[in-house]
Amino acid sequence: MLKKDLLDINSLTKEDILSILEEGERMRDAVESGAKSLDALRDRSVATLFYENSTRTKNSFENAARFLGANVVSVSVGNSSVKKGETLIDTGMTLERIMTDAIVIRHEVAGAAKLLADNVKCHVLNAGDGLHAHPTQALLDFLTMKEIFGGFEGLEVAIIGDIKHSRVARSNIEGLKKLGANVRIFAPNTLMPQGIERTGVKIAESVEEACDNADVIMGLRIQLERQKKGLFPSVGEYVKYYGITKERVALAKKNAVVMHPAPVNRGVEIASDVIDSDKSYIYRQVTNGLAVRMAVLKMLIIGGER
Ligand code: CP
């Protein structure tokens, strides 16, 4: 049973995750059959409050709420009273007083979603907080894997790229271990978090070892702006030693797939021909993101019953 808020994957049981995925499958079936005016959240109101940029998460949450019949308030932080110094808690309490049932928040600071959740009565959904968590990204990744492979037990998942700064990697690792998958990771030493082996993941010695016999190869975005900080020598060297290329994908299982939370730096973390190949599920992940966000909004606001 989900609690008041969705703040991270760690707070969910395996059964919670599986019930969200089942609801997500129902939502995906509904929207793919053309249903865009369901009424599960009629007379409810959802606010999105994004302090960081987003294309996928913000717009899929907003469409998810609209397709379920909710009213949507999209706070434009850059044009809001945040710019006059209003605090996060005061902003959240203001949204609550205009009859908001759920606030979807993205913030650059880890813990911001929990701070908000602790100070408002309405539901809070974390759409990414600093380096901490991005639970709905992990849930949509799980929905995509379930769609392709049918389950998770023994699934071999390779996560390659900037693990250190990735809330997506952290949330995926937490959930995949609960679901019974095996996770191997590979990153430049400077982008590998200390102590990560304590989570039960295997650290590969090379990108080839990470890809070898994998079912899923998941790339992570390299933040090119970090180049100034010297976290790896050059983009060219990153591609050579860490890039997901056709030749490296061929080391994985015959039916292996390539995933990425996106946005992707084409030709950096994943070669452009791989992104455009039938191995790539990057755009399928986006549709599954809509479905899983419909599921969690419905389950948090009105409960799991149909
Ligand atoms: N994957 C993801 O969170 O994308 P956005 O930053 O576009 O929301």
Side-chain angles (χ1 to χ4, degrees), residues 74-87:
S74 177
V75 180
S76 175
V77 167
N79 295 322
S80 74
S81 292
V82 170
K83 291 290 161 197
K84 299 176 191 165
E86 188 160 55
T87 67

Side-chain angles (χ1 to χ4, degrees), residues 53-58 106 134 137 261-263:
N53 294 341
S54 168
T55 298
R56 278 145 287 271
T57 313
K58 182 171 187 290
R106 171 170 287 189
H134 193 349
Q137 176 66 47

Side-chain angles (χ1 to χ4, degrees), residues 35-36 43 58 74 85 90 95 122 163 177 182-183 188 242 250 263-264 286 299:
K36 292 182 185 166
D43 298 332
K58 182 171 187 290
S74 177
D90 286 338
L95 291 173
C122 63
I163 311 279
K177 298 308 291 178
N182 301 316
V183 181
Y242 307 95
V264 189
V286 177
M299 292 170 78

Side-chain angles (χ1 to χ4, degrees), residues 235-268:
V235 170
E237 278 155 317
Y238 184 88
V239 173
K240 182 171 174 195
Y241 293 105
Y242 307 95
I244 299 167
T245 61
K246 206 163 51 180
E247 293 72 24
R248 288 167 176 161
V249 173
L251 300 171
K253 287 185 187 155
K254 190 165 167 285
N255 296 325
V257 300
V258 174
M259 295 172 55
H260 191 296
V264 189
N265 296 303
R266 271 186 179 262
V268 182

